[in-house]
Amino acid sequence: MKDRVRIMDGKATAALVRAEVAEDVARIVERGVRPGLAVVLVGDDPASEVYVRNKDRAATEAGIAVRTLRPEATISQPDLEALVRELGADGSVHGILVQLPLPAQLDPAGVVEAIDPRKDVDGLHPRNVAALAMDLPGLVPCTPAGCIELCDRYGIELAGRHAVVVGRSQLVGKPVAQLLLARNATVTICHSRTADLAGVVGTGDVIVAAVGRAGLIRGEWIRPGACVLDVGINRGADGKLCGDVEFGAASARAGAITPVPGGVGPMTIAMLLKNTARAAEAALDAVASPGRTTGAGI
Ligand code: NAP
């Protein structure tokens, strides 16, 4: 008989990470600086409001000073980029997060490029994207980093295993594939043009689902004993939140699986706080030893 599936509890794991970040923040404060996070929320998208409120609360609890800037939805591209550059020059700000999506008239790539890469706690600036691709130190996107952190905390072996990533977005699919590769997994990336998705998923020891389609990954596809990380956040037909994986049927086959909600989601915020503390520490180290690469390497 198959061993019982392990439910990877992202809520509890995120609470552990957040408590560790609070200790790091206290150490940084002892060095005379309180880590600061600036969140830029353009317009009044209700879903973004909820995300920003949760980030604000978690950061404040960890001892990080949070400032939320709320430019009007009609702000121009140059004005938004100027605002982000101002935050880059502000010594009390160590992390800058521009909540996406932006209103349609704005180009997110241009805004992200205006962020000082040392403060780019979402890890989306081309310099950080390049650093990840080149195995150089940098700030790593929070959701992919959260997936790896969950694997580490649950003792999931990655080296030598076949990891199948479904989704190839800049935000999740590509960076998580690179992080898995850096951990010596053998990585396959699937997308909307993949032929025989079921067959490829079925060969995975580790599956990362990052698509945004409820129940796309069928339980019967999962290789017995595989670890399933479900990044998707969807509304099911019953109106409830659900992931990209058919949770019940997949749990009957998987060795370990993340629920939605309460899996990868809470880890994202925890990793945002961790990135902010790292960026603040790197800024302090840079002042202490100008010209040297800091411990955080950023
Ligand atoms: P995205 O930018 O829309 O990318 C979706 C990816 O899925 C694309 O690469 C797309 O392929 C692929 N895809 C679409 N239909 C497919 C199919 N039938 N078979 C295989 N692949 C398919 O989405 P994202 O930003 O990566 O987000 C993915 C999901 O994760 C969403 O539900 C989002 O809400 C959630 N999310 C959660 C967190 C969290 O904190 N838990 C954070 C970020 C995102 P193509 O490239 O070929 O179009």
Side-chain angles (χ1 to χ4, degrees):
M1 206 181 103
K2 172 183 168 299
D3 289 339
R4 274 187 58 185
V5 65
R6 276 198 301 163
I7 306 296
M8 300 167 82
D9 184 342
K11 214 167 151 192
T13 309
L16 286 177
V17 174
R18 294 208 314 264
E20 289 168 12
V21 172
E23 286 172 19
D24 292 344
V25 168
R27 250 189 316 108
I28 296 165
V29 169
E30 273 173 25
R31 292 175 70 185
V33 166
R34 180 163 300 279
L37 172 66
V39 179
V40 181
L41 174 57
V42 184
D44 48 15
D45 176 57
S48 294
E49 289 275 357
V50 175
Y51 289 137
V52 166
R53 214 169 29 241
N54 290 342
K55 287 169 186 173
D56 187 325
R57 190 183 318 125
T60 305
E61 269 172 32
I64 294 169
V66 191
R67 194 191 312 167
T68 304
L69 296 99
R70 297 170 170 275
E72 295 283 329
T74 52
I75 191 170
S76 70
Q77 183 81 22
D79 285 354
L80 183 56
E81 290 181 13
L83 173 69
V84 167
R85 277 200 201 89
E86 264 172 47
L87 294 169
D90 183 336
S92 69
V93 172
H94 306 96
I96 303 170
L97 183 153
V98 178
Q99 184 66 43
L100 301 176
L102 292 171
Q105 85 275 11
L106 297 167
D107 162 34
V111 177
V112 167
E113 275 189 52
I115 298 175
D116 181 331
R118 294 167 299 184
K119 302 187 179 187
D120 168 38
V121 282
D122 256 346
L124 296 177
H125 188 282
R127 238 187 44 216
N128 285 314
V129 174
L132 182 59
M134 297 168 78
D135 287 328
L136 295 171
L139 288 163
V140 173
C142 304
T143 302
C147 291
I148 302 296
E149 188 82 27
L150 260 180
C151 289
D152 286 347
R153 304 257 174 174
Y154 276 86
I156 306 290
E157 182 63 47
L158 297 172
R161 316 280 302 279
H162 183 203
V164 175
V165 178
V166 189
R168 57 174 162 180
S169 70
Q170 263 335 317
L171 190 63
V172 189
K174 282 183 194 161
V176 84
Q178 281 165 327
L179 290 174
L180 289 161
L181 193 58
R183 291 302 193 84
N184 298 314
T186 302
V187 183
T188 301
I189 305 178
C190 302
H191 45 78
S192 65
R193 307 289 293 275
T194 296
D196 190 19
L197 183 64
V200 181
V201 168
T203 63
D205 302 308
V206 176
I207 314 294
V208 181
V211 177
R213 285 184 56 179
L216 174 77
I217 310 293
R218 307 278 295 274
E220 71 214 37
W221 298 355
I222 304 298
R223 183 179 194 165
C227 169
V228 181
L229 299 154
D230 191 351
V231 179
I233 302 177
N234 313 291
R235 279 275 163 217
D238 56 3
K240 290 191 183 150
L241 280 188
C242 64
D244 291 341
V245 179
E246 251 187 346
F247 183 78
S251 302
R253 295 172 67 88
I257 189 167
T258 60
V260 178
V264 175
M267 294 301 292
T268 298
I269 294 187
M271 301 316 284
L272 169 72
L273 307 186
K274 198 167 173 170
N275 273 351
T276 305
R278 272 189 67 210
E281 199 152 39
L284 268 177
D285 291 347
V287 171
S289 329
R292 277 189 47 206
T293 305
T294 65
I298 47 181

